Amino acid sequence: MSTEAAGAAATEQPLDERVNNRSQKPDSDAFRAFMAANWAPSAQELPARDDVADFAAGRRRAISMQFPKERLVIPAGALKVRSNDTDYRYRPHSAFAHLTGLGVDHEPDAVLVFEPTDDGEGDDGGQHRATLYFRPLAGRDTEQFYADARAGEFWIGARPTLAEFAARLGVATAHLDELEAAITKNVGDPAIGGTSIRLVRKVDDNIDALVDTARYNTAQDPQEADLAALDALDAKLTETLSELRLIKDDWEIEQMQIAVAATAAGFEEIIKSLPRAITHHRGERVVEGAFFAHAREEGNELGYDTIAAAGNNATTLHWTRNTGQVTPGELILVDAGVEADSLYTADITRTLPVNGTYSEVQRKVYQAVLDAADAAFAVAVPGRKFRGVHTAAMEVLADRLQDWGLLPVPAEVALSAEGQHHRRWMPHGTSHHLGLDVHDCAQAKRELYLDGIITEGMVFTIEPGLYFKNEDLAIPAEYRGIGVRIEDDILITADGPVNLSEALPRTPDEVESWMAGIYGANGPTS
Ligand code: GLY
Ligand code: MN
Ligand code: MN
């Protein structure tokens, strides 16, 4: 075939239709009629209102009060392709989950729209009416039912109906087909009677494009449309939603406890997996798999990819490749979190001696990290600055590194802004907020995050570590290949910090007893 002929053949059928070339989908009228008939009716009774509904209404009210007279658009996000026609497991954007109370895989392409009311009297004591637009369950008489692999009931199971979500969430619902009109209606400059719009961007490309087009088309002079200023409107909404999550309500605290309890139980599974891990050429994967199985059995998913890092791999902060061997005599650092069905996640790290007993130098490093964590706990109290938690941990670590003769300068100099030598072995932060995202509230202003005041209802991690790499020539050989992190999840109460993950052993003696209780006295190889 000539190149020209080959080119013509290649254009006969559009490439994106060829995915169906393996399909033998029945297409007769007889089939369609038969397929549509004789199904038992779906459940008629509506579900009860979810426990979260009142809390989610309070969150919507808080946002509504901050943006009067503006339309707010909060997308859940679309399915993401992993490869060809297979998608990643769906997980909605956290701002959407927070404002709706929806968890698990609800709901691809959905969008929550806050429409300002004329008189400022809205739902839930706010100034807007909120409507959840989504693709509801299609009838069994539709092609979607049997032919749509991404949304059809025959393929992925029944999806919610409009009435079901309305009953569960206490929010108005509408079909996705009505979304475009709802978002674009009367968009424009409020000075001339239009409605200003704010969007949580970079969640759903289609919605970004829809909003951009509506803004462009309704600008008085499209050539002059100040897209940067409009972006700033959007950024303010995203920032405000992120800051709204700095303080957890009672329902969220309960979800954090559920996630932490499931994660703590998962660490038991990790220890139980070690005997097999040490016999496997990729033992870290055995550990990762044990925790993942537990996360899927007891929760929705992992909150983030598990770090199962044995020996020197523990000195790579985000070692998620997990291809290494697990060798008795070394440590294994495991950083893992179960995401509950509500999508709240724990984030816990324990560093375990693979053979069940810490060596002298391992114990020394571990104890330093533990002391740093305890110092951080001591200042994690309401009224103090969040950044002080890190400072307290660093003071302990710098002192200890000085005692061991590893610091090239006095600890005092290292701790100054011009020094920071100790950070060679602890380059990450000590704390981050935790919740729907493992690094929650990440778009909050610095004044409310690092420079913020620790306040009742906050949940954050305390996670100091020390990481001595095999290749590190600045330290004696005995330290090399040791990485230790201890990470707990803290709830701030009026009475001070509560360690949500306290059920998991933390001290070296407790960890050894815990492992002995699972293996017996002779360790995992017995
Ligand atoms: N698991 C990631 C972190 O500890 O921040
Ligand atoms: Mn963390
Ligand atoms: Mn972690």
Side-chain angles (χ1 to χ4, degrees), residues 456-470:
E456 194 180 336
M458 286 183 168
V459 175
F460 53 80
T461 64
I462 291 183
E463 50 174 308
L466 280 174
Y467 311 93
F468 298 120
K469 290 184 180 294
N470 269 344

Side-chain angles (χ1 to χ4, degrees), residues 258 262 265 292-301 338-341:
I258 290 169
F292 179 67
H294 180 81
R296 286 291 289 160
E297 286 168 28
E298 303 303 325
N300 182 53
E301 245 288 2
V338 173
E339 179 186 82
D341 286 349

Side-chain angles (χ1 to χ4, degrees), residues 232-260:
L233 290 183
D234 295 337
K236 184 72 191 165
L237 174 62
T238 299
E239 173 191 287
T240 307
L241 288 166
S242 201
E243 291 170 355
L244 183 64
R245 300 193 341 240
L246 284 164
I247 307 294
K248 270 60 180 176
D249 60 37
D250 288 349
W251 188 85
E252 293 181 287
I253 290 168
E254 196 181 319
Q255 295 308 312
M256 290 307 303
Q257 289 164 335
I258 290 169
V260 169

Side-chain angles (χ1 to χ4, degrees), residues 67 124 131 133 158 210 218 247-248 261 322 428 444 457 473 526:
F67 298 101
D124 309 313
T131 301
Y133 293 86
L210 190 62
T218 57
I247 307 294
K248 270 60 180 176
N322 300 341
H428 62 76
L473 301 183
S526 60

Side-chain angles (χ1 to χ4, degrees), residues 30-345:
F31 166 76
R32 274 192 287 274
F34 187 51
M35 197 61 171
N38 276 324
W39 300 103
S42 305
Q44 293 300 304
E45 215 169 292
L46 288 177
R49 189 174 164 92
D50 286 356
D51 290 345
V52 69
D54 289 344
F55 293 95
R59 300 167 199 162
R60 290 194 296 274
R61 177 168 56 246
I63 286 300
S64 171
M65 297 313 277
Q66 297 213 38
F67 298 101
K69 303 204 182 314
E70 297 184 86
R71 182 174 301 146
L72 310 178
V73 179
I74 296 106
L79 283 160
K80 291 189 176 62
V81 172
R82 180 175 185 277
S83 161
N84 186 24
D85 59 353
T86 56
D87 298 316
Y88 288 103
R89 198 188 324 284
Y90 183 74
R91 200 247 193 224
H93 188 268
S94 294
F96 175 89
H98 193 232
L99 293 181
T100 58
L102 285 171
V104 290
D105 58 349
H106 297 312
E107 189 59 46
D109 302 328
V111 182
L112 182 67
V113 178
F114 287 67
E115 183 64 20
T117 58
D118 291 336
D119 58 5
E121 299 284 318
D123 304 329
D124 309 313
Q127 308 184 7
H128 295 76
R129 296 216 180 284
T131 301
L132 175 60
Y133 293 86
F134 69 101
R135 184 184 299 102
L137 177 68
R140 290 167 179 153
D141 55 350
T142 63
E143 187 170 310
Q144 185 186 106
F145 169 57
Y146 64 86
D148 185 336
R150 277 181 139 187
E153 182 180 354
F154 217 118
W155 291 81
I156 61 161
R159 310 301 303 174
T161 64
L162 295 177
E164 279 167 6
F165 262 1
R168 280 183 50 191
L169 306 174
V171 78
T173 54
H175 196 289
L176 213 44
D177 290 349
E178 297 171 35
L179 177 67
E180 181 170 340
I183 289 181
T184 57
K185 187 179 72 179
N186 195 33
V187 168
D189 187 343
I192 52 166
T195 302
S196 156
I197 189 166
R198 292 189 196 244
L199 164 69
V200 178
R201 300 189 79 85
K202 298 199 169 114
V203 178
D204 186 323
D205 290 346
N206 289 328
I207 307 299
D208 286 5
L210 190 62
V211 168
D212 285 344
T213 307
R215 283 172 168 169
Y216 187 78
N217 288 343
T218 57
Q220 276 179 298
D221 177 357
Q223 300 308 322
E224 298 288 311
D226 186 348
L227 294 179
L230 296 169
D231 267 5
L233 290 183
D234 295 337
K236 184 72 191 165
L237 174 62
T238 299
E239 173 191 287
T240 307
L241 288 166
S242 201
E243 291 170 355
L244 183 64
R245 300 193 341 240
L246 284 164
I247 307 294
K248 270 60 180 176
D249 60 37
D250 288 349
W251 188 85
E252 293 181 287
I253 290 168
E254 196 181 319
Q255 295 308 312
M256 290 307 303
Q257 289 164 335
I258 290 169
V260 169
T263 302
F267 271 82
E268 297 269 340
E269 299 306 314
I270 285 167
I271 295 181
K272 285 188 210 159
S273 77
L274 285 178
R276 192 167 90 78
I278 60 185
T279 65
H280 195 281
H281 68 283
R282 292 201 303 191
E284 291 174 346
R285 289 282 173 93
V286 174
V287 172
E288 177 192 328
F291 189 82
F292 179 67
H294 180 81
R296 286 291 289 160
E297 286 168 28
E298 303 303 325
N300 182 53
E301 245 288 2
L302 301 170
Y304 54 93
D305 284 343
T306 298
I307 298 167
N312 190 53
N313 290 340
T315 68
T316 299
L317 297 179
H318 282 176
W319 175 257
T320 53
R321 205 174 285 147
N322 300 341
T323 47
Q325 289 193 314
V326 175
T327 309
E330 293 185 334
L331 299 175
I332 180 164
L333 180 159
V334 187
D335 183 340
V338 173
E339 179 186 82
D341 286 349
S342 57
L343 307 179
Y344 288 78
T345 188

Side-chain angles (χ1 to χ4, degrees), residues 347 432 439 461 463 487:
D347 179 12
H432 57 80
H439 298 153
T461 64
E463 50 174 308
E487 178 172 27

